[in-house]
């Protein structure tokens, strides 16, 4: 008899961003509306940086000739890209990461979702609100218990509230794995070096693995905020870091990202210690054939002088959108957080309105799409998230519509 993985049956509805896309589609079709502005999913709008485009064109030309053709690449990723990352993202900040500790992938979403494959059962903690991939992938693996309508009873939630400055507090119960995402999706907040050091110290003392999603590190403007968890001493013993080219260089449609699994990161397994990067390599060799050669050549070019200049200017553009929208939201009396070191604004709903209701109001009366905070976890209730990835004209128009709403 065919049996399914019935953990899937416990998942509520559809994946958050798919559910929002379906609602927006239905709204457009039913009311024949064609001016909906999406500030929901963080899909970038600025084109790929020209340095990456040129590199990808050259890569296609190579693949077009039998002399320079490339077939399957190394599962861990091409060395040229791993070297560029080790130098450009880490050595440049005084952090030693070897190219052998880097695993290229098709994005941080896949990596943060797939990493559960190499972990056994244990108590998992997530910040709340949280990027839904961490929660759903643990639920699919049977590690989240049951869904109670707002949360999973097998997970430990670390509430990030206005009252605690949206900073997660250390778990009060024993956990084995903690997901941290900074700059944070969805709240757009960051951790200071001391706060992050507190987490690393806690993980070292309590034998906890930190899964550190740094997909938005390129948006950090505050020089006191760490870009990598490995800027903290001892972190290589306890943390895996995930990064992405999606939002940094317009790779949402191209797909490329990477995970760093340090050599020192080893866990007890019976009477021996097992290095997690060996397990991950084993997993990737079996289930993954690598990001495409074209994507990897494009990603390599992001580290060139022009690539850096071009991506910097795109990021500044997105951050200026965030500042513009924040100003407009504040003008109409809404409280907005984040947006200075991240492409996300975390906005309090007017009068404590439930976040899905506010989503409906914005869609119906302003034709604007946001992401309801409750979709990110129980502590997201009373907030919505706006992204900063649109064109400036989009934000000017969004601000005009918000002002007309008269909240
Ligand atoms: C988001 O909007 O949270 C992200 O774009 C989703 C993702 O990166 O998968």
């Amino acid at each position: 008899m065919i049996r399914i993985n019935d953990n899937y049956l416990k998942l509520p509805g559809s994946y958050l961003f798919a559910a929002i896309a379906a609602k927006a589609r239905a709204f457009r079709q039913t009311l024949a509306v064609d001016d909906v502005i999406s500030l929901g999913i963080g899909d970038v709008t600025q084109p790929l940086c020209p340095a990456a485009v040129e590199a990808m064109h050259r890569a296609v030309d190579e693949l077009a000739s039998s002399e320079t053709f490339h077939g399957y690449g190394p599962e861990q990723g091409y060395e040229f890209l791993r070297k560029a990352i080790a130098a450009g993202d880490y050595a440049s900040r005084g952090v030693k990461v070897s190219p052998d500790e880097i695993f290229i992938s098709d994005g941080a979403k896949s990596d943060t979702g797939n990493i559960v494959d190499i972990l056994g059962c244990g108590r998992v903690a997530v910040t709340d609100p949280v990027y839904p991939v961490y929660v759903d992938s643990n639920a699919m693996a049977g590690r989240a218990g049951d869904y109670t309508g707002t949360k999973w009873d097998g997970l430990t939630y670390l509430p990030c509230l206005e009252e605690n400055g949206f900073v997660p507090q250390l778990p009060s119960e024993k956990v084995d794995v903690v997901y941290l995402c900074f700059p944070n999706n969805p709240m757009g907040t960051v951790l200071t070096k001391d706060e992050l050091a507190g987490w690393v110290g806690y993980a070292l003392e309590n034998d906890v693995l930190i899964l550190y999603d740094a997909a938005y590190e390129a948006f950090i403007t505050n020089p006191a905020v760490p870009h990598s968890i490995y800027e903290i001493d001892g972190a290589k013993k306890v943390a895996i870091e995930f990064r992405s080219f999606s939002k940094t260089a317009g790779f949402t449609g191209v797909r490329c990202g990477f995970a760093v699994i340090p050599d020192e990161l080893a866990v007890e397994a019976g009477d021996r210690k097992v290095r997690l990067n060996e397990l991950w390599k084993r997993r990737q060799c079996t289930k993954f054939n690598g990001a495409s050669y074209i994507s990897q050549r494009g990603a390599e070019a992001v580290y060139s002088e022009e690539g850096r200049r071009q991506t910097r200017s795109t990021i500044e553009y997105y951050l200026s959108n965030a500042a513009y929208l924040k100003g407009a939201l504040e003008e109409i009396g809404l409280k907005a957080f984040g947006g200075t070191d991240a492409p996300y604004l975390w906005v309090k709903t007017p009068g404590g309105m439930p976040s899905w209701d506010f989503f409906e109001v914005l869609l119906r009366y302003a034709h604007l799409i946001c992401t309801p905070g409750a979709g990110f976890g129980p502590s997201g209730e009373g907030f919505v998230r706006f992204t900063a990835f649109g064109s400036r004209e989009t934000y000017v128009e969004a601000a005009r519509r918000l002002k007309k709403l008269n909240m």
Side-chain angles (χ1 to χ4, degrees):
M1 188 175 80
I2 298 171
R3 298 224 17 223
I4 58 160
N5 173 352
D6 52 17
N7 293 314
Y8 278 67
L9 300 181
K10 297 184 186 172
L11 293 167
S14 37
Y15 179 60
L16 176 63
F17 295 109
I20 291 169
K23 272 181 186 281
R25 217 170 23 248
F27 178 77
R28 280 192 189 100
Q29 283 165 3
T30 320
L31 299 179
V33 167
D34 64 1
D35 64 348
V36 173
I37 294 178
S38 176
L39 307 178
I41 190 165
D43 198 1
V44 296
T45 55
Q46 295 307 296
L48 281 165
C49 72
V53 173
E54 281 161 31
M56 288 196 276
H57 278 303
R58 283 195 300 273
V60 172
D61 288 341
E62 281 182 56
L63 298 183
S65 149
S66 51
E67 281 82 57
T68 48
F69 178 75
H70 294 268
Y72 293 126
E75 288 87 353
Q76 193 169 339
Y78 283 98
E79 196 179 31
F80 61 76
L81 178 55
R82 291 185 287 113
K83 280 185 165 166
I85 292 168
D89 280 332
Y90 294 103
S92 62
R93 295 193 179 275
V95 175
K96 201 164 170 290
V97 165
S98 145
D100 292 340
E101 296 172 306
I102 297 170
F103 294 78
I104 309 299
S105 70
D106 62 347
K109 177 180 182 176
S110 320
D111 283 347
T112 54
N114 291 332
I115 198 74
V116 294
D117 277 12
I118 63 163
L119 302 175
C121 293
R123 183 97 189 164
V124 175
V126 293
T127 56
D128 169 30
V130 63
Y131 180 45
V133 171
Y134 317 150
V135 169
D136 286 8
S137 45
N138 276 287
M140 289 167 177
R143 311 233 176 96
D146 289 309
Y147 191 62
T148 63
T150 51
K151 61 194 322 195
W152 291 85
D153 63 8
L155 296 178
T156 296
Y157 286 77
L158 309 171
C160 299
L161 309 164
E162 194 178 353
E163 299 84 76
N164 62 19
F166 303 106
V167 176
Q169 308 300 298
L170 299 176
S172 52
E173 60 193 339
K174 169 65 188 147
V175 303
D176 305 290
V177 178
V178 177
Y179 288 81
L180 294 178
C181 170
F182 288 99
N184 186 263
N185 179 12
M187 299 179 295
T189 49
V190 286
L191 286 189
T192 63
K193 199 163 185 180
D194 283 350
E195 285 163 342
L196 190 54
W199 277 98
V200 170
Y202 156 81
L204 285 164
E205 258 171 48
N206 295 281
D207 197 19
V208 173
L209 173 67
I210 298 178
L211 299 175
Y212 193 72
D213 185 349
Y216 301 97
E217 65 74 35
F219 289 82
I220 294 172
T221 54
N222 180 345
V225 171
H227 287 243
S228 165
I229 195 166
Y230 305 126
E231 289 176 45
I232 311 292
D233 284 344
K236 288 186 94 182
K237 289 194 168 61
V238 289
I240 295 177
E241 179 162 292
F242 305 95
R243 295 235 190 150
S244 161
F245 293 96
S246 288
K247 311 295 165 36
T248 314
F251 274 54
T252 40
V254 174
R255 311 307 305 146
C256 199
F258 62 92
V260 178
I261 311 191
D263 273 337
E264 294 153 57
L265 184 51
V267 300
E268 307 274 350
D271 55 359
R272 63 193 184 116
K273 281 210 149 201
V274 177
R275 284 169 43 223
L276 290 190
N277 68 12
E278 277 175 11
L279 287 192
W280 186 243
K281 193 173 197 164
R282 185 69 180 83
R283 189 254 175 224
Q284 293 296 80
C285 286
T286 304
K287 294 196 179 182
F288 186 59
N289 259 337
S292 81
Y293 178 71
I294 301 167
S295 309
Q296 294 192 57
R297 278 296 184 199
E300 181 194 24
V302 170
Y303 294 93
S304 66
E305 211 178 306
E306 320 81 80
R308 282 185 179 285
R309 200 173 16 80
Q310 292 158 359
T311 49
R312 194 65 245 152
S313 116
T314 303
I315 285 168
E316 279 162 14
Y317 179 76
Y318 293 144
L319 288 174
S320 74
N321 284 341
Y324 179 84
L325 185 61
K326 197 170 190 170
L329 289 161
E330 285 168 354
E331 246 181 74
I332 59 166
L334 295 183
K335 225 168 169 184
F337 303 89
T340 48
D341 294 292
Y344 297 120
L345 289 178
W346 191 234
V347 180
K348 225 170 158 175
T349 61
M353 192 187 291
S355 60
W356 278 104
D357 290 1
F358 191 45
F359 167 87
E360 294 290 347
V361 167
L362 292 179
L363 182 56
R364 179 179 288 257
Y365 300 109
H367 299 183
L368 290 181
I369 296 175
C370 62
T371 310
F376 294 106
S379 299
E381 188 50 286
F383 288 85
V384 294
R385 189 194 76 173
F386 287 101
T387 58
F389 295 113
S391 66
R392 175 49 66 87
E393 299 71 52
T394 310
Y395 288 91
V396 172
E397 176 58 16
R400 193 190 64 77
R401 293 186 197 174
L402 282 166
K403 283 178 195 164
K404 263 181 61 188
L405 270 182
N406 201 10
M407 278 169 299

